[in-house]
Amino acid sequence: MTTPAQITIPTEPIGSIPRPHDLIERIAKGDSEDPSLAPLYENAIRDTIERFEATGSPVVTDGEQRKYHNFATYSVHGLPNTAPDGFKIPFSDGHTRRLSRLTRGPFRYRRYADSYLDVAMRYAHVPVKQAVISPSALSLMYPAEKIPDYSRQQFIDDLLREHETEMRRCLKKGAYKVQIDFTEGRLAVKIDPSGHLLNSFIDLNNLALSRFSLEERRRIGVHTCPGNDFDSTHSADVDYAELLPSLFELKAGNFYVALAGERDRRHALRIIRKYRKPDQRVFVGVTAPVDPHIETPEEVRDRVLEASEYIPIEQLGTTDDCGFSPFSDDTSTSRDTAFAKIQARVLGTRLAEKLIGGH
Ligand SMILES: [Zn+2]
């Protein structure tokens, strides 16, 4: 008698966890890099990883506790050749966030994300993934009016080299996955419905991804979402039909696609089924950080079963729709709620595995 092969559906977080209140208050008072904050950061990371592991999550992150002030500008925060009045991201509740603007060349990162990995791996007992910002997001730092003696092409060359360096450092240090945050993909369609901006982003990111081998790309993923800040989004009204066909042109092995918060999940799943490449695994969002309701494991299970009607089980994974606080001062979701949702994701994915695998 043969026993059927056990089916495993991988489940991974996106990245951020709300920071502890004492840390947020101290950062608000002054310099986020003040050395006296080191013990607070260290405690926040240790506590995050402990609580992450307690949920049963087979892969964890450091909760981006040290990514000040957000997922997009951590690598350039504090650079002397930047100004705060860069690209503006408008959210659906009326508030905005801004990227920084490059004022002169050359462009260099101030820090690489593998420095976060160093600390996280000291505490973690399970694999750690690391999120990095996409070249396309940082490309928005170059101003429209151009910088004298530093062309856009020189900037792009420097940007791609810095991004590749960051990716390689994370891969080399043993990141389980390196996830490129590409939230501006869906936003690009909203800004430019012709699709030109989106395609330029895809081309730029593919220039970077082409520098990696097929084997490396199996550990590389891309995250897409409609944004998440103060329980508000920036591009949820953009139809996935305008984004996903281009998204799957990216030369990455894994895609982390927000789905739980979509108005019509089956519409999105039909597009995924049509455009996903055979060697691309799709991690579908089964919990929605913008929604205060804590999903039950049964709700998550049903979402996995629904997705399995469209995506072959060996190419399916689950994730959260987004990080729980991509911007470090976002207190709209509590740490307790974030971990409860993560636990539901883990338990619900296991329930679906049992049903599909018959064990
Ligand atoms: Zn996101």
Side-chain angles (χ1 to χ4, degrees):
M1 249 179 69
T2 55
T3 44
Q6 190 164 320
I7 288 171
T8 309
I9 302 173
T11 187
E12 296 180 16
I14 293 296
S16 61
I17 297 291
R19 284 67 166 173
H21 281 290
D22 55 346
L23 181 60
I24 292 174
E25 279 165 22
R26 282 289 302 277
I27 292 175
K29 275 186 205 150
D31 180 7
S32 53
E33 292 178 78
D34 181 344
S36 73
L37 288 179
L40 279 178
Y41 281 122
E42 199 79 11
N43 280 343
I45 295 163
R46 198 195 59 241
D47 184 66
T48 299
I49 290 175
E50 272 176 23
R51 296 193 64 179
F52 236 125
E53 292 186 345
T55 67
S57 192
V59 179
V60 301
T61 72
D62 69 346
E64 305 187 353
Q65 305 295 287
R66 262 200 110 114
K67 262 192 187 172
Y68 37 77
H69 291 279
N70 59 65
F71 71 102
T73 59
Y74 66 88
S75 59
V76 297
H77 177 76
L79 279 179
N81 55 341
T82 58
D85 59 346
F87 182 82
K88 208 185 269 181
I89 309 169
F91 283 85
S92 52
D93 66 353
H95 86 282
T96 58
R97 294 282 194 176
R98 292 198 91 145
L99 302 181
S100 44
R101 172 176 61 88
L102 193 69
T103 54
R104 58 189 153 78
F107 176 76
R108 300 282 183 270
Y109 280 15
R110 188 148 178 259
R111 63 185 66 73
Y112 299 107
D114 65 291
S115 59
Y116 307 131
L117 205 50
D118 287 334
V119 181
M121 289 176 81
R122 272 209 322 265
Y123 291 117
H125 305 87
V126 298
V128 181
K129 79 182 272 190
Q130 182 62 52
V132 302
I133 190 58
S134 64
S136 53
L138 292 180
S139 74
L140 295 166
M141 288 179 69
Y142 193 87
E145 63 271 20
K146 301 204 167 48
I147 297 173
D149 305 321
Y150 190 59
S151 70
R152 186 177 164 83
Q153 191 53 52
Q154 283 175 290
F155 164 71
I156 293 296
D157 291 346
D158 286 342
L159 169 61
L160 288 173
R161 194 194 53 249
E162 289 292 77
H163 169 78
E164 182 187 359
T165 301
E166 178 176 57
M167 295 279 293
R168 290 204 182 282
R169 288 171 70 129
C170 292
L171 288 168
K172 197 171 166 201
K173 284 191 178 164
Y176 180 71
K177 292 276 181 57
V178 184
Q179 171 192 288
I180 300 166
D181 285 336
F182 185 49
T183 184
E184 72 283 7
R186 200 163 174 181
L187 182 61
V189 181
K190 183 159 182 164
I191 296 168
D192 176 9
S194 78
H196 178 78
L197 183 63
L198 172 64
N199 287 333
S200 72
F201 282 176
I202 299 284
D203 290 347
L204 177 63
N205 292 335
N206 265 341
L207 282 177
L209 286 162
S210 304
R211 298 181 179 191
F212 295 91
S213 67
L214 269 178
E215 198 168 322
E216 286 166 331
R217 283 185 226 155
R218 274 197 275 275
R219 286 171 61 203
I220 295 175
V222 174
H223 166 52
T224 184
C225 70
N228 170 30
D229 191 30
F230 291 106
D231 285 346
S232 165
T233 56
H234 53 53
S235 55
D237 50 342
V238 169
D239 191 328
Y240 260 150
E242 304 297 321
L243 171 72
L244 295 177
S246 300
L247 184 83
F248 289 116
E249 294 298 320
L250 286 170
K251 297 181 171 102
N254 305 278
F255 289 81
Y256 303 88
V257 180
L259 191 65
E262 286 300 303
R263 273 191 301 267
D264 186 350
R265 288 194 302 271
R266 286 186 184 272
H267 168 65
L269 285 164
R270 277 192 293 272
I271 304 166
I272 293 172
R273 176 171 62 192
K274 187 163 177 197
Y275 290 97
R276 182 191 64 84
K277 307 276 193 297
D279 57 347
Q280 294 174 333
R281 186 186 285 274
V282 182
F283 292 76
V284 295
V286 291
T287 60
V290 292
D291 183 355
H293 161 71
I294 295 168
E295 291 81 359
T296 65
E298 290 73 22
E299 280 171 315
V300 169
R301 173 200 64 200
D302 292 346
R303 287 173 185 175
V304 182
L305 295 176
E306 180 184 68
S308 73
E309 294 175 35
Y310 299 85
I311 303 168
I313 198 74
E314 59 279 10
Q315 303 296 328
L316 180 63
T318 64
T319 186
D320 307 307
D321 269 8
C322 193
F324 289 90
S325 63
F327 295 84
S328 68
D329 59 354
D330 178 2
T331 51
S332 61
T333 303
S334 71
R335 282 168 76 81
D336 286 349
T337 297
F339 285 116
K341 281 172 170 272
I342 288 169
Q343 185 153 45
R345 167 170 57 77
V346 173
L347 293 173
T349 303
R350 295 289 161 264
L351 289 176
E353 255 174 20
K354 279 196 191 118
L355 281 176
I356 295 168
H359 58 87

